[in-house]
């Protein structure tokens, strides 16, 4: 194995395109495995990180190798790793302080990965970790979606939406979703029962008495979500503002808790008036949950949806495509 590798580097916030450079292969900690990355997926967090939009929650030191999830093959294991071996095909979402999957190699904590679902290629498996974990944590861990419940999932054709619809359907929910007419057949094939063309129909007047909303849009759509849910129901957002409860649980300093308290006063009022609980989710890495998702995938309950695949050298084009915000499922980057 070479001591050097190609990696996509961010040298400062606001950089428009990551620079593909030759850098040292990362060194292993005792609880790490070293993975030869075969494929990685693009996530809006890559663009937000480049723009500096997440500094408040997630400050990084530069230079930073970008990329938040992957599928690949283990080429070395740390001294304390017992559950994986060299040659294992794995997939994962590294913890936020140790991202860097747009690279030939990644040193990742063994707790953040799982064996790749056997029936998926590396490209397909790379489509799962970040969106799969986020959807699982929203629908299963927070909302605790149960059979027969009515759940709205915003932006059903996106990276999150395509997995979340399948998971909510698997959990027995009746699923409504929003998308453009060109994606109606796709979201129905994933399990959506009620499909709303967000260009021509207002979900907030079309839907009532829902048990839960999984909001992926934030802003006005998040505020409107409270009118769709019945009293005692829940809204979980991954794109709205984090509230004070989240800020405390995430361990933010008091001044940041105060800032977020002021910024979310409208959401807090809506929560009180509607009797609907609001949760902000910032997904967490979990090898255990990835193993659960792999079991669902091999059982045929869940499948990745891939829009396009780019070569690593064309990462800049992949980012431009993703930034348009109209992907149908996931955008994948194949590593050399
Ligand atoms: N907090 C967290 O832990 C966390 C984790 C993952 C993702 N996120 C956030 O969640 C959001 C979604 O992520 P993603 O990976 O699903 O993004 P994505 O794949 O880029 O989303 C693209 C999809 O959004 C749809 N869309 C855009 N505007 C819409 C609208 N007003 N109504 C309905 N659909 C709309 C597009 O459909 P059309 O082509 O029909 O417009 C397209 O299919 C991002 O903001 C991301 O940063 C947060």
């Amino acid at each position: 194995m070479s001591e050097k590798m190609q990696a996509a580097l961010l040298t400062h916030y606001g950089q428009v395109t990551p620079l593909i450079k030759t850098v040292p292969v990362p060194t292993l900690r005792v609880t790490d495995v070293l993975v030869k990355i075969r494929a990685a997926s693009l996530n809006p967090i890559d663009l937000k990180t480049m723009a500096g939009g997440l500094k408040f929650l997630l400050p990084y030191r530069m230079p930073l190798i970008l990329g938040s999830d992957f599928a690949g093959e283990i080429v070395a294991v740390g001294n304390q790793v017992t559950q994986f071996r060299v040659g294992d095909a794995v997939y994962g979402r590294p913890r936020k302080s140790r991202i860097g999957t747009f690279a030939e190699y990644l040193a990742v904590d063994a707790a953040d990965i799982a064996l790749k679902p056997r029936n998926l290629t590396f490209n397909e498996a790379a489509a799962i970790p970040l969106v799969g974990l986020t959807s699982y944590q929203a629908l299963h861990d927070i909302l605790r979606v149960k059979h027969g419940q009515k759940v709205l999932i915003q932006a059903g054709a996106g990276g999150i939406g395509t997995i979340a619809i399948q998971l909510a359907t698997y959990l027995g929910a009746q699923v409504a979703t929003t998308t453009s007419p060109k994606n109606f057949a796709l979201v129905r094939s994933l399990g959506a029962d009620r499909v709303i063309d967000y260009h021509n129909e207002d979900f907030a007047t079309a839907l009532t008495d829902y048990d839960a909303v999984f909001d992926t849009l934030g802003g006005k759509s998040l505020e409107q979500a409270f009118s769709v849910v019945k009293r005692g129901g829940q809204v979980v957002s991954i794109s709205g503002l984090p509230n004070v409860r989240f800020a405390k649980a995430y361990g933010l300093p008091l001044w940041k808790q105060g800032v977020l308290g002021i910024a979310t006063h409208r959401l807090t009022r809506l929560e009180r008036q509607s009797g609907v609980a609001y949760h902000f989710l910032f997904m967490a890495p979990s090898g255990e949950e990835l193993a659960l998702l792999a079991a669902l995938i091999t059982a045929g309950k869940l499948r990745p949806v891939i829009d396009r695949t780019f070569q690593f050298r064309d990462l800049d084009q992949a980012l431009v495509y993703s930034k348009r915000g109209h992907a149908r499922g996931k955008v994948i980057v194949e590593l050399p």
Side-chain angles (χ1 to χ4, degrees):
M1 194 191 77
S2 150
E3 306 282 293
K4 299 275 182 193
M5 66 173 189
Q6 297 284 103
L9 288 182
L10 187 69
T11 57
H12 60 275
Y13 287 123
Q15 190 177 318
V16 181
T17 316
L19 300 170
I20 297 187
K21 292 265 191 205
T22 303
V23 298
V25 168
T27 48
L28 276 195
R29 300 180 186 172
V30 287
T31 55
D32 283 353
V33 300
L34 186 68
V35 178
K36 168 77 186 79
I37 304 218
R38 301 283 297 272
S41 93
L42 269 73
N43 291 282
I45 196 170
D46 305 323
L47 295 158
K48 292 178 185 177
T49 301
M50 287 170 68
L54 287 177
K55 265 188 289 187
F56 192 79
L57 287 184
L58 200 54
Y60 281 117
R61 287 172 59 180
M62 302 289 156
L64 173 74
I65 303 177
L66 288 165
S68 297
D69 56 5
F70 71 93
E73 199 176 323
I74 295 183
V75 292
V77 295
N79 290 340
Q80 289 178 15
V81 175
T82 52
Q83 69 273 46
F84 296 105
R85 276 181 258 173
V86 169
D88 282 347
V90 293
Y91 73 151
R93 190 297 187 232
R95 52 199 61 184
K96 290 166 189 151
S97 55
R98 301 187 69 200
I99 63 168
T101 64
F102 296 157
E104 289 178 272
Y105 294 92
L106 173 80
V108 57
D109 197 295
D112 298 345
I113 64 171
L115 291 175
K116 173 178 84 62
R118 289 191 300 282
N119 55 337
L120 297 190
T121 62
F122 284 106
N123 284 7
E124 289 169 334
I128 297 290
L130 195 144
V131 294
L133 288 170
T134 309
S135 302
Y136 190 84
Q137 288 165 16
L139 296 165
H140 179 270
D141 299 349
I142 297 178
L143 296 175
R144 302 194 174 278
V145 169
K146 288 182 194 57
H147 189 83
Q149 287 191 328
K150 294 201 292 182
V151 179
L152 165 64
I153 294 168
Q154 292 282 21
I160 292 284
T162 48
I163 290 296
I165 292 172
Q166 296 180 75
L167 266 177
T169 303
Y170 168 73
L171 293 169
Q174 285 177 47
V175 177
T177 195
T178 53
T179 190
S180 301
K182 66 178 190 300
N183 298 321
F184 277 19
L186 170 67
V187 297
R188 286 203 177 105
S189 76
L190 300 171
D193 303 286
R194 171 82 163 90
V195 184
I196 291 176
D197 169 8
Y198 74 87
H199 304 279
N200 290 308
E201 197 179 357
D202 178 9
F203 75 90
T205 46
L207 308 175
T208 50
D209 264 356
Y210 269 62
D211 295 282
V213 173
F214 180 13
D215 170 70
T216 60
L217 299 170
K220 183 161 174 271
S221 299
L222 170 56
E223 292 187 7
Q224 289 177 310
F226 289 85
S227 69
V228 165
V229 178
K230 58 189 178 199
R231 286 192 91 75
Q234 305 179 83
V235 172
V236 60
S237 180
I238 53 172
S239 290
L241 286 169
N243 58 4
V244 175
R245 275 196 304 278
F246 168 85
K248 281 187 185 149
Y250 192 66
L252 291 180
L254 277 177
W255 74 267
K256 286 194 178 181
Q257 293 181 27
V259 170
L260 289 174
I262 294 165
T264 54
H265 74 279
R266 283 168 67 91
L267 290 173
T268 306
R269 197 175 60 220
L270 278 169
E271 199 180 22
R272 207 172 37 239
Q273 286 168 349
S274 60
V276 170
Y278 172 61
H279 313 270
F280 173 79
L281 166 65
F282 200 26
M283 61 79 59
S286 166
E288 276 175 31
E289 290 190 338
L290 283 175
L292 287 171
L293 291 169
L296 290 179
I297 291 165
T298 42
K301 307 287 182 202
L302 202 61
R303 66 176 170 91
V305 176
I306 294 180
D307 179 335
R308 280 197 196 182
T309 302
F310 291 83
Q311 293 304 308
F312 181 53
R313 62 175 177 273
D314 299 325
L315 177 64
D316 52 345
Q317 291 171 34
L319 286 162
V320 167
Y321 182 72
S322 177
K323 196 173 184 175
R324 286 189 203 137
H326 296 295
R328 287 161 53 93
K330 296 290 296 176
V331 178
I332 302 296
V333 179
E334 217 173 79
L335 275 295

